Amino acid sequence: MSFSTWLAFFAASWAISFSPGSGAISAMASGLKYGFKRGYWTTIGLIGGIMCQVVVVGIGLGALLATSELAFSIVKWLGVGYLIYLGWRQFRTDASPVAVEAGNPQPFKIRELLIRGWLVNITNPKGTVFLLAVVPQFLDVSRPMAMQYLAIGATLCFTDLVAMGVYTALAAKVLKLLRSPRHIRWLNRSFGSLFILAGTVLATFSQHK
C-alpha cells in the first residue's frame, strides 16, 4: 500500500468511524451513564471488536460470512438479539441523577464495558461485509498482505478511538447538565429505543445489500 493510497483510506476511515451506528449509540449510552473517563472503556471494547473483524477479513473468514447464508444469519441474529437486549437494559437504567465526580462514581466493572463494546462490533456482520467491500480497493496485491491489513486495522482503530471518544464526551457533557430524574429517564428511553432501532435495522440487512 503506497502512502497516497493510505492517505485516501485514512480520509475514508473518518467518515466510516463517525457514521452513526450501534457503536456510536453504545459509546454515547456509556458516556451518559458513567461519564467520559469510565464510559470510554466501552470504546476500548469496540476497538477490540474492530481488530477482530479486520483479522477475520484478513484470514478469509469474512468471505464465509459473505457467501454462507447460514453463517451470516447466525452472526446477524446474535447481533440483533444483543442490541435489543442492550435496549431493554437501557430502558431499565436507574433514572436518578448520576454523580460523575470521582468521590461518588456510578458503580461499574471495566470488564463488563469492554465485553459490551466488543460484542457490539463482533456480532455485527454488516461491519465485516463492509470491510470486505471496502478494504480490497486499497490493497496492493504485489505487496505483503499482512502489513497492509495491519496498517488498515491500526488506521481504523485510531479514527474510531477519536470518533467514539467524541460521542462519549458529548453524552458525558449532557450528563453533567442533568439533575432531573424525568430528563434522565427520557434520555435512557431514547437510547434504549436507538439500540432497538439499530437491532431492527440489522435484522433487515442481507448479504446482497
Side-chain angles (χ1 to χ4, degrees), residues 15-50:
I16 295 169
S17 294
F18 273 104
S19 60
S22 54
I25 296 169
S26 186
M28 288 188 290
S30 290
L32 177 66
K33 185 173 182 180
Y34 302 109
F36 178 76
K37 291 182 179 179
R38 299 174 184 87
Y40 197 65
W41 285 106
T42 296
T43 291
I44 305 302
L46 289 168
I47 296 303
I50 290 175

PDB file of all heavy atoms in Angstrom, residues 15-50:
ATOM      1  N   ALA A  15     -14.873   9.104   7.862  1.00  0.00           N
ATOM      2  CA  ALA A  15     -16.298   9.022   7.522  1.00  0.00           C
ATOM      3  C   ALA A  15     -16.903   7.732   8.071  1.00  0.00           C
ATOM      4  O   ALA A  15     -18.029   7.726   8.584  1.00  0.00           O
ATOM      5  CB  ALA A  15     -16.479   9.097   6.011  1.00  0.00           C
ATOM      6  N   ILE A  16     -16.136   6.634   7.971  1.00  0.00           N
ATOM      7  CA  ILE A  16     -16.614   5.350   8.478  1.00  0.00           C
ATOM      8  C   ILE A  16     -16.818   5.408   9.988  1.00  0.00           C
ATOM      9  O   ILE A  16     -17.846   4.962  10.521  1.00  0.00           O
ATOM     10  CB  ILE A  16     -15.612   4.228   8.116  1.00  0.00           C
ATOM     11  CG1 ILE A  16     -15.542   4.041   6.600  1.00  0.00           C
ATOM     12  CG2 ILE A  16     -16.007   2.921   8.800  1.00  0.00           C
ATOM     13  CD1 ILE A  16     -14.401   3.142   6.144  1.00  0.00           C
ATOM     14  N   SER A  17     -15.842   5.971  10.694  1.00  0.00           N
ATOM     15  CA  SER A  17     -15.884   5.984  12.156  1.00  0.00           C
ATOM     16  C   SER A  17     -16.978   6.895  12.705  1.00  0.00           C
ATOM     17  O   SER A  17     -17.618   6.576  13.712  1.00  0.00           O
ATOM     18  CB  SER A  17     -14.522   6.410  12.718  1.00  0.00           C
ATOM     19  OG  SER A  17     -13.524   5.451  12.417  1.00  0.00           O
ATOM     20  N   PHE A  18     -17.189   8.039  12.063  1.00  0.00           N
ATOM     21  CA  PHE A  18     -18.175   8.989  12.571  1.00  0.00           C
ATOM     22  C   PHE A  18     -19.598   8.690  12.103  1.00  0.00           C
ATOM     23  O   PHE A  18     -20.544   9.321  12.585  1.00  0.00           O
ATOM     24  CB  PHE A  18     -17.799  10.422  12.177  1.00  0.00           C
ATOM     25  CG  PHE A  18     -16.869  11.090  13.151  1.00  0.00           C
ATOM     26  CD1 PHE A  18     -15.526  11.241  12.847  1.00  0.00           C
ATOM     27  CD2 PHE A  18     -17.338  11.544  14.369  1.00  0.00           C
ATOM     28  CE1 PHE A  18     -14.663  11.858  13.748  1.00  0.00           C
ATOM     29  CE2 PHE A  18     -16.498  12.164  15.276  1.00  0.00           C
ATOM     30  CZ  PHE A  18     -15.145  12.320  14.966  1.00  0.00           C
ATOM     31  N   SER A  19     -19.750   7.755  11.171  1.00  0.00           N
ATOM     32  CA  SER A  19     -21.094   7.433  10.709  1.00  0.00           C
ATOM     33  C   SER A  19     -21.902   6.821  11.853  1.00  0.00           C
ATOM     34  O   SER A  19     -21.410   5.964  12.590  1.00  0.00           O
ATOM     35  CB  SER A  19     -21.040   6.453   9.530  1.00  0.00           C
ATOM     36  OG  SER A  19     -20.403   5.252   9.920  1.00  0.00           O
ATOM     37  N   PRO A  20     -23.151   7.274  12.052  1.00  0.00           N
ATOM     38  CA  PRO A  20     -23.965   6.767  13.159  1.00  0.00           C
ATOM     39  C   PRO A  20     -24.199   5.263  13.020  1.00  0.00           C
ATOM     40  O   PRO A  20     -24.374   4.743  11.921  1.00  0.00           O
ATOM     41  CB  PRO A  20     -25.277   7.547  13.009  1.00  0.00           C
ATOM     42  CG  PRO A  20     -24.924   8.750  12.199  1.00  0.00           C
ATOM     43  CD  PRO A  20     -23.836   8.301  11.261  1.00  0.00           C
ATOM     44  N   GLY A  21     -24.188   4.580  14.142  1.00  0.00           N
ATOM     45  CA  GLY A  21     -24.415   3.147  14.139  1.00  0.00           C
ATOM     46  C   GLY A  21     -24.479   2.632  15.561  1.00  0.00           C
ATOM     47  O   GLY A  21     -24.495   3.405  16.528  1.00  0.00           O
ATOM     48  N   SER A  22     -24.502   1.310  15.699  1.00  0.00           N
ATOM     49  CA  SER A  22     -24.622   0.715  17.031  1.00  0.00           C
ATOM     50  C   SER A  22     -23.430   1.048  17.916  1.00  0.00           C
ATOM     51  O   SER A  22     -23.574   1.185  19.136  1.00  0.00           O
ATOM     52  CB  SER A  22     -24.770  -0.808  16.899  1.00  0.00           C
ATOM     53  OG  SER A  22     -23.710  -1.361  16.133  1.00  0.00           O
ATOM     54  N   GLY A  23     -22.233   1.199  17.323  1.00  0.00           N
ATOM     55  CA  GLY A  23     -21.057   1.564  18.110  1.00  0.00           C
ATOM     56  C   GLY A  23     -21.200   2.946  18.716  1.00  0.00           C
ATOM     57  O   GLY A  23     -20.897   3.163  19.898  1.00  0.00           O
ATOM     58  N   ALA A  24     -21.659   3.899  17.914  1.00  0.00           N
ATOM     59  CA  ALA A  24     -21.853   5.264  18.400  1.00  0.00           C
ATOM     60  C   ALA A  24     -22.919   5.306  19.495  1.00  0.00           C
ATOM     61  O   ALA A  24     -22.769   6.012  20.505  1.00  0.00           O
ATOM     62  CB  ALA A  24     -22.241   6.177  17.244  1.00  0.00           C
ATOM     63  N   ILE A  25     -23.988   4.557  19.309  1.00  0.00           N
ATOM     64  CA  ILE A  25     -25.051   4.509  20.311  1.00  0.00           C
ATOM     65  C   ILE A  25     -24.510   3.942  21.619  1.00  0.00           C
ATOM     66  O   ILE A  25     -24.780   4.454  22.709  1.00  0.00           O
ATOM     67  CB  ILE A  25     -26.233   3.662  19.813  1.00  0.00           C
ATOM     68  CG1 ILE A  25     -26.868   4.307  18.579  1.00  0.00           C
ATOM     69  CG2 ILE A  25     -27.283   3.503  20.908  1.00  0.00           C
ATOM     70  CD1 ILE A  25     -27.866   3.414  17.875  1.00  0.00           C
ATOM     71  N   SER A  26     -23.717   2.869  21.509  1.00  0.00           N
ATOM     72  CA  SER A  26     -23.148   2.246  22.699  1.00  0.00           C
ATOM     73  C   SER A  26     -22.209   3.193  23.430  1.00  0.00           C
ATOM     74  O   SER A  26     -22.217   3.286  24.663  1.00  0.00           O
ATOM     75  CB  SER A  26     -22.406   0.960  22.300  1.00  0.00           C
ATOM     76  OG  SER A  26     -21.962   0.262  23.440  1.00  0.00           O
ATOM     77  N   ALA A  27     -21.376   3.910  22.668  1.00  0.00           N
ATOM     78  CA  ALA A  27     -20.437   4.864  23.273  1.00  0.00           C
ATOM     79  C   ALA A  27     -21.189   5.974  23.997  1.00  0.00           C
ATOM     80  O   ALA A  27     -20.827   6.361  25.118  1.00  0.00           O
ATOM     81  CB  ALA A  27     -19.522   5.444  22.195  1.00  0.00           C
ATOM     82  N   MET A  28     -22.229   6.506  23.373  1.00  0.00           N
ATOM     83  CA  MET A  28     -22.994   7.586  23.990  1.00  0.00           C
ATOM     84  C   MET A  28     -23.753   7.099  25.224  1.00  0.00           C
ATOM     85  O   MET A  28     -23.847   7.805  26.222  1.00  0.00           O
ATOM     86  CB  MET A  28     -23.952   8.200  22.976  1.00  0.00           C
ATOM     87  CG  MET A  28     -23.258   9.037  21.909  1.00  0.00           C
ATOM     88  SD  MET A  28     -24.410   9.961  20.847  1.00  0.00           S
ATOM     89  CE  MET A  28     -25.143   8.604  19.902  1.00  0.00           C
ATOM     90  N   ALA A  29     -24.281   5.894  25.158  1.00  0.00           N
ATOM     91  CA  ALA A  29     -25.006   5.345  26.307  1.00  0.00           C
ATOM     92  C   ALA A  29     -24.076   5.198  27.505  1.00  0.00           C
ATOM     93  O   ALA A  29     -24.456   5.491  28.650  1.00  0.00           O
ATOM     94  CB  ALA A  29     -25.631   4.005  25.941  1.00  0.00           C
ATOM     95  N   SER A  30     -22.844   4.764  27.260  1.00  0.00           N
ATOM     96  CA  SER A  30     -21.877   4.620  28.353  1.00  0.00           C
ATOM     97  C   SER A  30     -21.461   5.982  28.895  1.00  0.00           C
ATOM     98  O   SER A  30     -21.288   6.159  30.098  1.00  0.00           O
ATOM     99  CB  SER A  30     -20.635   3.853  27.869  1.00  0.00           C
ATOM    100  OG  SER A  30     -20.951   2.496  27.635  1.00  0.00           O
ATOM    101  N   GLY A  31     -21.264   6.958  27.994  1.00  0.00           N
ATOM    102  CA  GLY A  31     -20.926   8.301  28.436  1.00  0.00           C
ATOM    103  C   GLY A  31     -22.031   8.909  29.275  1.00  0.00           C
ATOM    104  O   GLY A  31     -21.772   9.602  30.270  1.00  0.00           O
ATOM    105  N   LEU A  32     -23.275   8.632  28.898  1.00  0.00           N
ATOM    106  CA  LEU A  32     -24.420   9.154  29.635  1.00  0.00           C
ATOM    107  C   LEU A  32     -24.498   8.552  31.031  1.00  0.00           C
ATOM    108  O   LEU A  32     -24.814   9.239  32.001  1.00  0.00           O
ATOM    109  CB  LEU A  32     -25.711   8.852  28.868  1.00  0.00           C
ATOM    110  CG  LEU A  32     -27.020   9.264  29.549  1.00  0.00           C
ATOM    111  CD1 LEU A  32     -27.104  10.782  29.654  1.00  0.00           C
ATOM    112  CD2 LEU A  32     -28.215   8.711  28.789  1.00  0.00           C
ATOM    113  N   LYS A  33     -24.184   7.278  31.159  1.00  0.00           N
ATOM    114  CA  LYS A  33     -24.341   6.592  32.437  1.00  0.00           C
ATOM    115  C   LYS A  33     -23.139   6.762  33.362  1.00  0.00           C
ATOM    116  O   LYS A  33     -23.293   6.889  34.578  1.00  0.00           O
ATOM    117  CB  LYS A  33     -24.592   5.100  32.192  1.00  0.00           C
ATOM    118  CG  LYS A  33     -24.885   4.325  33.470  1.00  0.00           C
ATOM    119  CD  LYS A  33     -25.284   2.894  33.168  1.00  0.00           C
ATOM    120  CE  LYS A  33     -25.622   2.144  34.456  1.00  0.00           C
ATOM    121  NZ  LYS A  33     -26.013   0.736  34.186  1.00  0.00           N
ATOM    122  N   TYR A  34     -21.923   6.754  32.785  1.00  0.00           N
ATOM    123  CA  TYR A  34     -20.726   6.720  33.618  1.00  0.00           C
ATOM    124  C   TYR A  34     -19.840   7.963  33.529  1.00  0.00           C
ATOM    125  O   TYR A  34     -18.877   8.089  34.294  1.00  0.00           O
ATOM    126  CB  TYR A  34     -19.868   5.507  33.242  1.00  0.00           C
ATOM    127  CG  TYR A  34     -20.581   4.190  33.379  1.00  0.00           C
ATOM    128  CD1 TYR A  34     -20.950   3.456  32.258  1.00  0.00           C
ATOM    129  CD2 TYR A  34     -20.902   3.671  34.623  1.00  0.00           C
ATOM    130  CE1 TYR A  34     -21.609   2.240  32.376  1.00  0.00           C
ATOM    131  CE2 TYR A  34     -21.563   2.463  34.760  1.00  0.00           C
ATOM    132  CZ  TYR A  34     -21.909   1.752  33.622  1.00  0.00           C
ATOM    133  OH  TYR A  34     -22.559   0.560  33.750  1.00  0.00           O
ATOM    134  N   GLY A  35     -20.110   8.866  32.591  1.00  0.00           N
ATOM    135  CA  GLY A  35     -19.187   9.962  32.367  1.00  0.00           C
ATOM    136  C   GLY A  35     -18.109   9.537  31.375  1.00  0.00           C
ATOM    137  O   GLY A  35     -18.058   8.382  30.944  1.00  0.00           O
ATOM    138  N   PHE A  36     -17.226  10.471  31.004  1.00  0.00           N
ATOM    139  CA  PHE A  36     -16.262  10.199  29.932  1.00  0.00           C
ATOM    140  C   PHE A  36     -15.198   9.171  30.319  1.00  0.00           C
ATOM    141  O   PHE A  36     -14.980   8.186  29.615  1.00  0.00           O
ATOM    142  CB  PHE A  36     -15.573  11.489  29.491  1.00  0.00           C
ATOM    143  CG  PHE A  36     -14.537  11.260  28.418  1.00  0.00           C
ATOM    144  CD1 PHE A  36     -14.918  11.014  27.106  1.00  0.00           C
ATOM    145  CD2 PHE A  36     -13.184  11.262  28.733  1.00  0.00           C
ATOM    146  CE1 PHE A  36     -13.969  10.774  26.122  1.00  0.00           C
ATOM    147  CE2 PHE A  36     -12.228  11.034  27.758  1.00  0.00           C
ATOM    148  CZ  PHE A  36     -12.628  10.794  26.450  1.00  0.00           C
ATOM    149  N   LYS A  37     -14.502   9.394  31.433  1.00  0.00           N
ATOM    150  CA  LYS A  37     -13.368   8.538  31.785  1.00  0.00           C
ATOM    151  C   LYS A  37     -13.771   7.088  31.965  1.00  0.00           C
ATOM    152  O   LYS A  37     -13.064   6.177  31.526  1.00  0.00           O
ATOM    153  CB  LYS A  37     -12.686   9.057  33.050  1.00  0.00           C
ATOM    154  CG  LYS A  37     -11.959  10.372  32.860  1.00  0.00           C
ATOM    155  CD  LYS A  37     -11.259  10.799  34.149  1.00  0.00           C
ATOM    156  CE  LYS A  37     -10.512  12.113  33.952  1.00  0.00           C
ATOM    157  NZ  LYS A  37      -9.837  12.556  35.202  1.00  0.00           N
ATOM    158  N   ARG A  38     -14.898   6.855  32.610  1.00  0.00           N
ATOM    159  CA  ARG A  38     -15.346   5.483  32.827  1.00  0.00           C
ATOM    160  C   ARG A  38     -16.050   4.921  31.586  1.00  0.00           C
ATOM    161  O   ARG A  38     -15.847   3.781  31.215  1.00  0.00           O
ATOM    162  CB  ARG A  38     -16.256   5.428  34.050  1.00  0.00           C
ATOM    163  CG  ARG A  38     -15.553   5.884  35.324  1.00  0.00           C
ATOM    164  CD  ARG A  38     -16.516   5.954  36.512  1.00  0.00           C
ATOM    165  NE  ARG A  38     -15.829   6.475  37.691  1.00  0.00           N
ATOM    166  CZ  ARG A  38     -15.717   7.761  37.978  1.00  0.00           C
ATOM    167  NH1 ARG A  38     -16.259   8.663  37.173  1.00  0.00           N
ATOM    168  NH2 ARG A  38     -15.077   8.153  39.060  1.00  0.00           N
ATOM    169  N   GLY A  39     -16.866   5.758  30.969  1.00  0.00           N
ATOM    170  CA  GLY A  39     -17.603   5.302  29.790  1.00  0.00           C
ATOM    171  C   GLY A  39     -16.713   4.977  28.606  1.00  0.00           C
ATOM    172  O   GLY A  39     -17.085   4.191  27.729  1.00  0.00           O
ATOM    173  N   TYR A  40     -15.495   5.566  28.585  1.00  0.00           N
ATOM    174  CA  TYR A  40     -14.597   5.350  27.444  1.00  0.00           C
ATOM    175  C   TYR A  40     -14.110   3.909  27.354  1.00  0.00           C
ATOM    176  O   TYR A  40     -13.637   3.475  26.304  1.00  0.00           O
ATOM    177  CB  TYR A  40     -13.399   6.293  27.539  1.00  0.00           C
ATOM    178  CG  TYR A  40     -12.637   6.442  26.237  1.00  0.00           C
ATOM    179  CD1 TYR A  40     -13.232   7.023  25.125  1.00  0.00           C
ATOM    180  CD2 TYR A  40     -11.324   5.991  26.128  1.00  0.00           C
ATOM    181  CE1 TYR A  40     -12.536   7.166  23.930  1.00  0.00           C
ATOM    182  CE2 TYR A  40     -10.618   6.130  24.937  1.00  0.00           C
ATOM    183  CZ  TYR A  40     -11.223   6.718  23.855  1.00  0.00           C
ATOM    184  OH  TYR A  40     -10.536   6.849  22.671  1.00  0.00           O
ATOM    185  N   TRP A  41     -14.242   3.153  28.437  1.00  0.00           N
ATOM    186  CA  TRP A  41     -13.858   1.736  28.369  1.00  0.00           C
ATOM    187  C   TRP A  41     -14.700   0.968  27.350  1.00  0.00           C
ATOM    188  O   TRP A  41     -14.241  -0.009  26.755  1.00  0.00           O
ATOM    189  CB  TRP A  41     -13.976   1.087  29.749  1.00  0.00           C
ATOM    190  CG  TRP A  41     -12.875   1.480  30.685  1.00  0.00           C
ATOM    191  CD1 TRP A  41     -12.949   2.332  31.745  1.00  0.00           C
ATOM    192  CD2 TRP A  41     -11.512   1.033  30.618  1.00  0.00           C
ATOM    193  NE1 TRP A  41     -11.717   2.455  32.345  1.00  0.00           N
ATOM    194  CE2 TRP A  41     -10.824   1.672  31.684  1.00  0.00           C
ATOM    195  CE3 TRP A  41     -10.814   0.163  29.776  1.00  0.00           C
ATOM    196  CZ2 TRP A  41      -9.464   1.453  31.921  1.00  0.00           C
ATOM    197  CZ3 TRP A  41      -9.460  -0.050  30.011  1.00  0.00           C
ATOM    198  CH2 TRP A  41      -8.802   0.593  31.073  1.00  0.00           C
ATOM    199  N   THR A  42     -15.928   1.412  27.136  1.00  0.00           N
ATOM    200  CA  THR A  42     -16.754   0.780  26.097  1.00  0.00           C
ATOM    201  C   THR A  42     -16.103   0.956  24.731  1.00  0.00           C
ATOM    202  O   THR A  42     -16.130   0.044  23.897  1.00  0.00           O
ATOM    203  CB  THR A  42     -18.169   1.387  26.098  1.00  0.00           C
ATOM    204  OG1 THR A  42     -18.811   1.099  27.332  1.00  0.00           O
ATOM    205  CG2 THR A  42     -19.008   0.809  24.952  1.00  0.00           C
ATOM    206  N   THR A  43     -15.514   2.119  24.484  1.00  0.00           N
ATOM    207  CA  THR A  43     -14.828   2.371  23.220  1.00  0.00           C
ATOM    208  C   THR A  43     -13.645   1.428  23.044  1.00  0.00           C
ATOM    209  O   THR A  43     -13.400   0.928  21.940  1.00  0.00           O
ATOM    210  CB  THR A  43     -14.342   3.838  23.153  1.00  0.00           C
ATOM    211  OG1 THR A  43     -15.486   4.689  23.055  1.00  0.00           O
ATOM    212  CG2 THR A  43     -13.440   4.065  21.947  1.00  0.00           C
ATOM    213  N   ILE A  44     -12.910   1.153  24.127  1.00  0.00           N
ATOM    214  CA  ILE A  44     -11.793   0.205  24.041  1.00  0.00           C
ATOM    215  C   ILE A  44     -12.310  -1.167  23.612  1.00  0.00           C
ATOM    216  O   ILE A  44     -11.700  -1.862  22.799  1.00  0.00           O
ATOM    217  CB  ILE A  44     -11.048   0.097  25.385  1.00  0.00           C
ATOM    218  CG1 ILE A  44     -10.588   1.489  25.861  1.00  0.00           C
ATOM    219  CG2 ILE A  44      -9.863  -0.844  25.268  1.00  0.00           C
ATOM    220  CD1 ILE A  44      -9.687   2.206  24.892  1.00  0.00           C
ATOM    221  N   GLY A  45     -13.467  -1.549  24.150  1.00  0.00           N
ATOM    222  CA  GLY A  45     -14.081  -2.809  23.734  1.00  0.00           C
ATOM    223  C   GLY A  45     -14.498  -2.777  22.274  1.00  0.00           C
ATOM    224  O   GLY A  45     -14.316  -3.775  21.549  1.00  0.00           O
ATOM    225  N   LEU A  46     -15.045  -1.654  21.832  1.00  0.00           N
ATOM    226  CA  LEU A  46     -15.420  -1.513  20.420  1.00  0.00           C
ATOM    227  C   LEU A  46     -14.199  -1.674  19.517  1.00  0.00           C
ATOM    228  O   LEU A  46     -14.277  -2.305  18.454  1.00  0.00           O
ATOM    229  CB  LEU A  46     -16.056  -0.138  20.186  1.00  0.00           C
ATOM    230  CG  LEU A  46     -17.452   0.097  20.777  1.00  0.00           C
ATOM    231  CD1 LEU A  46     -17.815   1.576  20.718  1.00  0.00           C
ATOM    232  CD2 LEU A  46     -18.498  -0.739  20.044  1.00  0.00           C
ATOM    233  N   ILE A  47     -13.064  -1.113  19.937  1.00  0.00           N
ATOM    234  CA  ILE A  47     -11.839  -1.224  19.153  1.00  0.00           C
ATOM    235  C   ILE A  47     -11.402  -2.680  19.070  1.00  0.00           C
ATOM    236  O   ILE A  47     -10.947  -3.151  18.020  1.00  0.00           O
ATOM    237  CB  ILE A  47     -10.717  -0.369  19.780  1.00  0.00           C
ATOM    238  CG1 ILE A  47     -11.102   1.108  19.738  1.00  0.00           C
ATOM    239  CG2 ILE A  47      -9.390  -0.601  19.061  1.00  0.00           C
ATOM    240  CD1 ILE A  47     -11.403   1.640  18.364  1.00  0.00           C
ATOM    241  N   GLY A  48     -11.544  -3.409  20.185  1.00  0.00           N
ATOM    242  CA  GLY A  48     -11.224  -4.836  20.155  1.00  0.00           C
ATOM    243  C   GLY A  48     -12.067  -5.572  19.135  1.00  0.00           C
ATOM    244  O   GLY A  48     -11.585  -6.468  18.438  1.00  0.00           O
ATOM    245  N   GLY A  49     -13.343  -5.190  19.030  1.00  0.00           N
ATOM    246  CA  GLY A  49     -14.224  -5.802  18.038  1.00  0.00           C
ATOM    247  C   GLY A  49     -13.783  -5.488  16.622  1.00  0.00           C
ATOM    248  O   GLY A  49     -13.823  -6.355  15.736  1.00  0.00           O
ATOM    249  N   ILE A  50     -13.346  -4.251  16.380  1.00  0.00           N
ATOM    250  CA  ILE A  50     -12.858  -3.867  15.053  1.00  0.00           C
ATOM    251  C   ILE A  50     -11.618  -4.671  14.687  1.00  0.00           C
ATOM    252  O   ILE A  50     -11.482  -5.163  13.556  1.00  0.00           O
ATOM    253  CB  ILE A  50     -12.541  -2.358  15.015  1.00  0.00           C
ATOM    254  CG1 ILE A  50     -13.827  -1.540  15.068  1.00  0.00           C
ATOM    255  CG2 ILE A  50     -11.758  -2.001  13.746  1.00  0.00           C
ATOM    256  CD1 ILE A  50     -13.597  -0.051  15.152  1.00  0.00           C
TER     257      ILE A  50
END
